[in-house]
Amino acid sequence: MADTRPIGVFDSGIGGLTVLREIWKVLPGESTIYFGDNARAPYGNKSRSTVIRYSLQNMKFLESRGVKMIVIACNTASAYAYEALKDRSDVPVVEVVTPGAEATIKATKNGKIGIIGTKATISTGVYKQAVEQCALKHGMKNVEIYQKTCPLFVPLAEEGWWDNEIARLTAKEYLTPLKEAGIDTLVMACTHYPLLAKVIAETMGEGITLVNTGAAAASVVRDMLGKDGKTADGAVAPKREFYTSDEPGMFESVATPFLGEGLPSGTAHFSTDRYEVEI
Ligand code: DGL
């Protein structure tokens, strides 16, 4: 029987819309509820305990809306809080790290891999571990991993400066060491980086594969729902709802480029800090 409950997706703010759009691409018939925690963003420079608390509160909100699955669309929240959410959620939880690692190992030919993300994501070492584990699983012994924090890519993406001189100079400054290391695959381990993909690809030059962790996670969402027999099967017209913890107007004014299209419905305000959680 069709399961028409929505898929819940959350992020620190608008970046997770790059993941949501990938979910829509592979599952156009599914209803979705997106929560952007804009009032408390960014997560990328917050402590582990804070990101876990925020993520548990966001999970509670989505659960209260009757979702059938929760997608942690934020790389920082995935890196810090996945274990906590997985253990406490009533529904399956999908994060972006493991799918991103799988896609990376499939893509690399020379085993030299770059990972770029926020300070928080890189400091956890979670992506590095996930890529190493995946390599072992696929019998690949010699992987070399080079990590780099690229914090300025986040404000550049939000400013819409994706393809100008400042974006190019910033990319050159951050990515030159990875290029010199001879990597052939680069994991964009942050929701905002796919918007800068053109400049990142140009800076890295020929022969580089960029891994979009959101697209990888969307495939996992599709496969899990299919395997569990929980797809909506077009039984009803899908509903696409949006919530933000900041002002809806602010969310909507910056959302379109991240989503790749206009928001299909209005955005409502909701603060998840009302939920008491223990971490
Ligand atoms: N969504 C975050 C991530 O993917 C980037 C923005 C933030 O730091 O909150 O890591």
Side-chain angles (χ1 to χ4, degrees):
M1 213 178 73
D3 186 340
T4 57
R5 290 176 298 163
I7 300 168
V9 180
F10 80 83
D11 175 54
S12 55
I14 47 170
L17 294 172
T18 61
V19 181
L20 184 69
R21 77 181 184 190
E22 299 296 337
I23 296 173
W24 286 356
K25 265 188 217 162
V26 296
L27 289 164
E30 293 291 334
S31 294
T32 52
I33 296 185
Y34 182 90
F35 176 73
D37 199 5
N38 298 72
R40 303 190 292 187
Y43 283 7
N45 55 13
K46 300 246 170 7
S47 67
R48 169 186 288 274
S49 59
T50 297
V51 174
I52 293 177
R53 181 158 53 85
Y54 289 177
S55 300
L56 286 168
Q57 290 173 324
N58 302 341
M59 176 191 88
K60 287 217 170 281
F61 167 63
L62 292 173
E63 281 180 347
S64 78
R65 306 286 307 168
V67 299
K68 61 183 168 187
M69 174 181 274
I70 291 174
V71 181
I72 310 176
C74 176
N75 289 261
T76 305
S78 291
Y80 272 151
Y82 171 60
E83 293 297 327
L85 266 64
K86 184 182 64 145
D87 291 346
R88 300 197 213 176
S89 172
D90 298 336
V91 294
V93 179
V94 172
E95 43 84 52
V96 290
V97 178
T98 318
E102 285 282 350
T104 302
I105 290 303
K106 274 194 199 128
T108 186
K109 295 204 169 54
N110 70 5
K112 293 186 180 181
I113 293 160
I115 303 172
I116 52 175
T118 63
K119 284 185 178 151
T121 298
I122 297 300
S123 76
T124 64
V126 163
Y127 260 103
K128 184 170 182 286
Q129 275 166 27
V131 171
E132 283 167 350
Q133 274 169 14
C134 241
L136 277 182
K137 198 174 96 189
H138 292 279
M140 189 183 273
K141 287 207 184 84
N142 297 318
V143 287
E144 284 174 37
I145 298 179
Y146 302 86
Q147 302 191 87
K148 183 84 190 148
T149 59
C150 302
L152 290 178
F153 281 171
V154 169
L156 282 175
E158 295 198 356
E159 195 61 30
W161 289 6
W162 310 335
D163 191 12
N164 67 11
E165 207 43 35
I166 298 172
R168 278 188 283 279
L169 280 174
T170 310
K172 192 165 173 227
E173 181 68 26
Y174 283 145
L175 302 177
T176 298
L178 301 181
K179 189 174 174 179
E180 286 173 356
I183 62 163
D184 72 351
T185 306
L186 181 61
V187 189
M188 297 185 290
C190 175
T191 49
H192 289 54
Y193 299 178
L195 292 173
L196 293 154
K198 181 168 174 278
V199 162
I200 293 173
E202 278 169 10
T203 307
M204 293 306 296
E206 293 277 296
I208 190 85
T209 302
L210 299 184
V211 175
N212 179 338
T213 61
S219 302
V220 169
V221 171
R222 181 196 54 208
D223 295 349
M224 273 176 76
L225 289 180
K227 190 165 72 58
D228 297 345
K230 286 190 180 152
T231 48
D233 286 340
V236 292
K239 262 174 66 181
R240 294 171 169 179
E241 295 176 56
F242 296 89
Y243 293 86
T244 174
S245 55
D246 207 335
E247 285 182 15
M250 280 183 69
F251 179 88
E252 289 173 1
S253 67
V254 283
T256 301
F258 283 79
L259 196 56
E261 58 183 272
L263 288 185
S265 62
T267 307
H269 175 264
F270 193 90
S271 294
T272 56
D273 60 9
R274 71 191 65 184
Y275 293 110
E276 293 277 336
V277 293
E278 281 191 22
I279 62 164

